[in-house]
Every structure is written in structure tokens, then in C-alpha cells.
Amino acid sequence: MKILIVPDSFKGTLNSSKVCECIKNGILQTADAQIAALPFADGGEGFAECLANSCNGNTLYTYTTDIYGKRIKAPIYTYGKTAVIECASASGLQMKKDVMNATSYGTGELIKHAISKGFRHIMLGLGGSGCCDGGAGVLAALGAKFRNIDGEIIDFPCGKDLENIYGASFINIVKDIHFTYACDVDNPYYGKNGAAYVFAPQKGADKSQVKRLDNGLKMLNAFLPNDVSLIKGAGAAGGICGGLYSVYGGEIKSGFDILSDAYALENKIKESDLIVTGEGRTDKQTLMGKLPYKISQLCKKYDKKCVIISGSIKNVKFGDKMISLVDESTTAEQAMENPVEILTEKAKYILQ
């Protein structure tokens, strides 16, 4: 039997390479199979590294700021004239969840640094963000000026500032640059399916803050040079996609499709008998276009068996079999503390 393992990372515990290793080890304890492992991502953590690896790229490191303004060191992955930047590197979700005070400014600093090094194509992996500032932070780092009702400049705009924006100007310091936005979702900028309502709660927002953020995204959109309210994917990464797309244009693409092409994924699926995929948490957001769902759709297309094994599975059912690390015998805390052992053990049930 030929088995292909194509998982995303298990956010907060294991990168996709380690997930592959655990699943492979678990399967081999119960069966003799020909196994190919393909660490993957759909635009979130691991996307840039996977893409750079497929293109024999390099890695640059530079200092930037995280969502709360702390100075950190972050990677930029490169190949040719392309710089691949994950917004999660600078603007990723943290244990502390204070989305009203979180900014995407650091991602803008990474873009600015890549441009200063001569890269003319910026590809952004838009997933795993901990902010919901509509891209105002990124834009501010690239030279945009946002003003409050008193005409004062908001230097490092964050979530709570959006509904207080009463003016904006955009100095084009980014010239002759092509942007590609690698998204893991296709949600709009604002509204009931937008960045605030769908994603802000997991970043720490309560119901009143969700409403404030959604109103703020509407306010920001009114001052952007191009309306992005109807653009699919504009809500990715807390609206970073929409903010940048409005000012700089470019291409909004599925991060999954970009990597799929780079790895010739469809051919690998056609050549396999069983495909195993998964992620940290599989729920209704997965059905919005995240990696496990996309893999399951390709398996349907080629009539291949698909097994999903994830950290937790809630209120969804797709593929031929679903295995959750968190179940009646394993708590979420246990799964987080011992992910290698538990994932390896659960992987034994893939062929049963």
C-alpha cells in the first residue's frame, strides 16, 4: 500500500515535518507500507519554509516587532527575486490574547526589509495571525499615515484604533513591487463572515469587541484608496490581505494551490492508495478552504481514501475517517503536553 502523508502543522505544538514523522512512525508500528511524507501548509505557519524548500531557496533573518511591539528576530524565505514572508512570523497568535492592542506593524517591517534587499516579488503567507487591524499596521510601516479625529497621527495602529480613524494618506514608498497574497481562507474584509466576526474571538475578542472591530474595518475601508468589501480573501490575517490589496494590488491566491503546484501534489495523490492529512484543530473554519478539506476534495476527485487526524475535531465530518487526539480518554491539556507520543499512538488506528 502506498500512503501519502500531507498534514498542516499542529499549531502551538508540532510543525508539519514533525507531524509527518509521528504519523509515519505510528503507521509503521501496525503495518508494512510504502510511505511518502510531504510537510505542507495552506498559507499559515510553515508555508514560507515549505515553498522555499521546494524551490531550493535561502533564509534571511532580521529584527522586527511582534503584535505587542516587542522586538523579535524573524525569518524571510527567499528564492530568485521572490521573498516569502509569513505574517505569523511577526504578527502571529500568542498565548496572550489582546486583539484590541495587537498590530500587524511588524509584518510591514519585514516587507520593507525584503524590498531594501532588492526583492521585487513579495509573497505573503496569510494565516495564524494574532491581530485584526485590517492591515493598518502593515501599511503604517510602509509609510501610510492614519489620523484620529484631532488630526493626530496614529503611529502604530492596532485593533482598538480602527474606529477612531478619520483620515489617511498613502505615500507610495513601495514601487515596482508585485504582491501575491497566499490565503488559507476566502472570508471578506468585514461583515458576519468577515475578519472580526469569524476570527477575532479566537484572538481574544469578546462580543462587544468583535462589533467594534467590525465597525472599525468598515471605517478603515472607507479611507482606503480602493474598496475591498467584496474581495474574497480580504479578511485573511485579520484583514492584512485587504489593506495591502487596496493600496498595492497584486494577486490573491490560495496558499494551498501555490504549494500544490510547487510540489505537484495532484500527481502524488493519484499515485497513492491512501492519503493522511490533518491540523491542530478541525472545525467549521476548516470547511472555508483550509488544508485538510482541500486534500479531502482532491481525494474525492481521484477516488482515493482520505483519513483526517487532528489535534481536535469539532462539529464537522468529511473524508473517509476522522481521528482526534482529544477524545474521551485524552484531554486537550494532555494532547498539548505530549503531542508526539499521543499523535504517534493515535496514528496506529489509521489503517484499522
Side-chain angles (χ1 to χ4, degrees):
M1 175 180 281
K2 291 184 178 180
I3 299 174
L4 177 65
I5 305 172
V6 195
D8 205 338
S9 62
F10 281 30
K11 190 179 296 183
T13 56
L14 304 173
N15 62 28
S16 55
S17 294
K18 193 65 178 179
V19 173
C20 285
E21 180 184 326
C22 294
I23 294 173
K24 181 178 180 178
N25 289 340
I27 294 172
L28 290 177
Q29 289 181 36
T30 62
D32 183 17
Q34 184 179 335
I35 300 176
L38 194 64
F40 220 80
D42 53 14
E45 295 96 327
F47 169 80
E49 185 176 8
C50 287
L51 184 60
N53 286 343
S54 74
C55 301
N56 297 314
N58 299 304
T59 309
L60 301 176
Y61 287 90
T62 186
Y63 285 97
T64 183
T65 49
D66 71 6
I67 54 177
Y68 304 121
K70 180 183 177 181
R71 207 70 182 156
I72 60 171
K73 199 172 186 179
I76 298 172
Y77 299 89
T78 69
Y79 62 93
K81 288 295 183 180
T82 297
V84 190
I85 296 168
E86 289 181 8
C87 73
S89 294
S91 309
L93 190 66
Q94 300 184 17
M95 292 296 291
K96 174 186 175 182
K97 294 179 175 61
D98 183 10
V99 69
M100 302 304 287
N101 288 298
T103 178
S104 61
Y105 194 92
T107 295
E109 290 180 308
L110 291 179
I111 295 171
K112 191 174 180 180
H113 182 77
I115 292 170
S116 74
K117 294 297 182 180
F119 294 99
R120 316 315 295 168
H121 177 206
I122 305 296
M123 184 178 292
L124 289 173
L126 297 171
S129 72
C131 53
C132 187
D133 67 359
V138 173
L139 292 171
L142 296 177
K145 303 295 183 185
F146 297 98
R147 293 178 172 80
N148 61 23
I149 196 169
D150 298 317
E152 300 168 333
I153 293 175
I154 305 170
D155 291 318
F156 301 96
C158 55
K160 68 182 180 184
D161 296 315
L162 298 186
E163 55 186 356
N164 297 316
I165 291 175
Y166 284 86
S169 59
F170 302 94
I171 302 169
N172 190 11
I173 66 167
V174 179
K175 296 180 179 179
D176 302 320
I177 301 296
H178 178 70
F179 281 89
T180 299
Y181 311 96
C183 299
D184 60 351
V185 296
D186 59 6
N187 299 72
Y189 203 53
Y190 58 81
K192 294 299 181 182
N193 291 313
Y197 274 97
V198 176
F199 303 114
Q202 69 193 39
K203 302 174 184 182
D206 59 29
K207 289 184 179 180
S208 65
Q209 290 172 332
V210 167
K211 291 181 180 178
R212 286 179 57 194
L213 288 168
D214 191 64
N215 288 334
L217 289 166
K218 291 177 186 176
M219 176 79 82
L220 177 58
N221 184 60
F223 288 100
L224 292 173
N226 295 289
D227 177 16
V228 292
S229 61
L230 299 179
I231 301 295
K232 286 186 176 181
I240 289 176
C241 181
L244 282 169
Y245 184 80
S246 175
V247 178
Y248 299 112
E251 293 180 284
I252 300 175
K253 302 180 71 174
S254 160
F256 175 86
D257 290 346
I258 292 171
L259 268 187
S260 180
D261 290 343
Y263 279 121
L265 177 62
E266 289 202 33
N267 285 335
K268 289 180 170 63
I269 287 177
K270 284 191 287 186
E271 294 168 357
S272 303
D273 301 306
L274 168 67
I275 293 83
V276 182
T277 186
E279 61 187 336
R281 178 185 172 91
T282 295
D283 55 22
K284 290 183 178 178
Q285 288 187 19
T286 303
L287 304 182
M288 295 176 183
K290 294 198 173 184
L291 189 150
Y293 184 69
K294 292 260 192 175
I295 293 288
S296 73
Q297 294 299 100
L298 284 177
C299 289
K300 273 188 178 181
K301 178 179 177 181
Y302 295 108
D303 194 26
K304 302 295 181 177
K305 187 175 181 181
C306 179
V307 175
I308 292 90
I309 181 166
S310 295
S312 66
I313 298 173
K314 187 176 180 181
N315 299 326
V316 290
K317 188 174 182 180
F318 58 95
D320 295 284
K321 186 175 187 178
M322 302 189 82
I323 300 171
S324 175
L325 273 60
V326 176
D327 56 20
E328 297 84 359
S329 60
T330 306
T331 67
E333 291 75 18
Q334 290 171 326
M336 292 289 286
E337 289 173 2
N338 304 286
V340 172
E341 295 82 357
I342 294 174
L343 177 55
T344 303
E345 180 65 26
K346 298 286 185 178
K348 295 178 183 178
Y349 296 96
I350 287 172
L351 296 180
Q352 293 183 6

